[in-house]
Every structure is written in structure tokens, then in C-alpha cells.
Amino acid sequence: ALSGASFNGVINGSAQVLYEQRFEETGAIHSHATVAMGALKYALLDQGSAGVIMGRDGWLFTAEELDVSPNFSSNIATSAARLAQAAEKLRAHGAHLLPVIVPDKSELYADMLHRRRPQAVINRRPDFRAAREHAGLPYLDATEPLRNAMPTGPVFMHDDTHWSPLGSRAVADAVAHALQHIPLSEAMVSTRATGSRAFNGDLLRFVPTGVLRPWIGPAQHWIETFETTIQSQGGLFDNTAI
């Protein structure tokens, strides 16, 4: 029974959403059916749900990276112009802005894709760089630091949209180098490795193989963990420049 649904809700369709939510919450076989269907698509068709692109050797990519939306090119120029405006306002308040261009996972690991990236997507990063240069806005392109780190290990997680710890460190070092001319308060920073643990990336929700995963995949990946401590020279009430 939909006690929270009014007659108007039935007419305008909101009651349908409420009904679907209740059905999913109370359906005993819903989760099992989802796992069964997910396992079938993955095992037999090498497919996941809408939103994920299956790559080689267990690599997963978000479909958003290859999506060419309306006004694709004009949005790049608009974004660069707005970023330049934001940088100018921050500069007026004494804040330095360093935009960082993040390459797509599918760009760095294009060899793990089963398909060609659309030309508009291939041009996206160069076009964004050109738009920023036209706006007179300094930037850091994280592509080269990430590529330089790739021989050491994956710079993105296999089944996630985010960088690996190796990729994060590579970009952090590049940012620090780019900002070395700016006077900042010094701090003692120490990082130590704390082992590794099983890691389930955010893209796995599009490949719901559930309890069947140990037998059919996707494979379980691991992530290196670290603990970082920072001890600033500034006291609790000091006006640090960080």
C-alpha cells in the first residue's frame, strides 16, 4: 500500500517512484536477481550495466569519459573563461590559483579499451589547454607526471575512476614543484607505508556479480596504504600562509 501517495501523486507520476522504491526495499529476490543478471552479462557477454566500459585485463572505465554531449566544444571555452574570472577574483584577495588538467583514465590506458575514443574526446585536453592559454591562465597538465610514473605501476585503480596512490603522489610532486616559487610556511611531513588491503573500486557497482565474483570476476585488486603526519611550525593561532 502506498499510504504516502495522494491522488495527485498518482496523476503526476510521483507515486510510481514511491512504489518502485518500496518494491525494491521489500522484494526478497531483487538483490539475487541483480547479481544473477550481472553475473550472466559479465561471464557470457563481457558486459556491465550502463555507465561502465569493460576493458582488457580487468580494467574498467566510466562511460562518461567517452560521452560527447551537446555543445561539447563550446563548453570547454566557457569553462576556461569562467576559470580565468575565478583566478582573477582570487588574485585580488592574495590567493594563487593553479588549475590542474586531469587526463582521462581512458587516455592514459587507451590500449586497455576495446574501442576507439571519439575524436572530440581525443581533442578535449589539447583544446582545454589552448583555451586556458588564450585566457592567459597558468595551469599544470598532470598528463606528463602520470605518464612518467606509469612504468612503475598503475597510476589509476583498475576498477575505479580515481588515481592510485602512485598516481596521486606523482601529481602531488608536480604541483609542489610548480608552486615552489611561492613562499609558504614550512612543515615537517612524514609518510610511511602501512601495508595493503583489498580494494573495491566505484566502478564495480556497474558489474554486480556479488557472491559469484570469486569464480567469474572481476578480479580482486589491492591498494597500498599510507599514513601521513604533518607538523607545522606555525602554532595554533599563528597566521600561516599554507
Side-chain angles (χ1 to χ4, degrees), residues 14 76 99 124 136 148 182 196 209 236:
S14 61
I76 293 177
R124 172 165 48 198
N148 291 340
I182 299 178
S196 60
T209 55
L236 179 62

Side-chain angles (χ1 to χ4, degrees), residues 89-231:
K89 290 183 178 180
L90 288 170
R91 192 178 300 113
H93 292 279
H96 179 86
L97 176 66
L98 177 67
V100 178
I101 298 178
V102 180
D104 293 332
K105 179 180 179 180
S106 61
E107 177 183 0
L108 294 182
Y109 291 98
D111 58 329
M112 291 300 171
L113 286 170
H114 293 292
R115 66 180 72 177
R116 178 176 171 82
R117 299 166 68 229
Q119 190 61 45
V121 173
I122 294 175
N123 295 338
R124 172 165 48 198
R125 186 171 58 83
D127 288 349
F128 204 19
R129 288 183 52 150
R132 290 185 175 185
E133 291 170 356
H134 179 74
L137 186 66
Y139 63 87
L140 169 66
D141 190 337
T143 307
E144 183 176 355
L146 288 170
R147 286 197 186 278
N148 291 340
M150 287 172 64
T152 305
V155 295
F156 275 89
M157 301 303 296
H158 284 73
D159 50 19
D160 198 273
T161 55
H162 298 88
W163 298 326
S164 67
L166 174 65
S168 299
R169 180 60 182 264
V171 177
D173 287 344
V175 170
H177 180 75
L179 297 179
Q180 61 182 345
H181 64 286
I182 299 178
L184 297 172
S185 298
E186 294 185 358
M188 295 297 295
V189 181
S190 60
T191 299
R192 67 181 185 91
T194 55
S196 60
R197 63 174 175 83
F199 178 83
N200 295 317
D202 54 15
L203 292 173
L204 288 176
R205 69 179 185 270
F206 297 105
V207 194
T209 55
V211 295
L212 299 177
R213 183 182 176 191
W215 291 275
I216 68 172
Q220 179 68 65
H221 294 287
W222 297 73
I223 189 171
E224 300 298 320
T225 61
F226 302 87
E227 182 180 83
T228 298
T229 57
I230 303 175
Q231 183 177 358

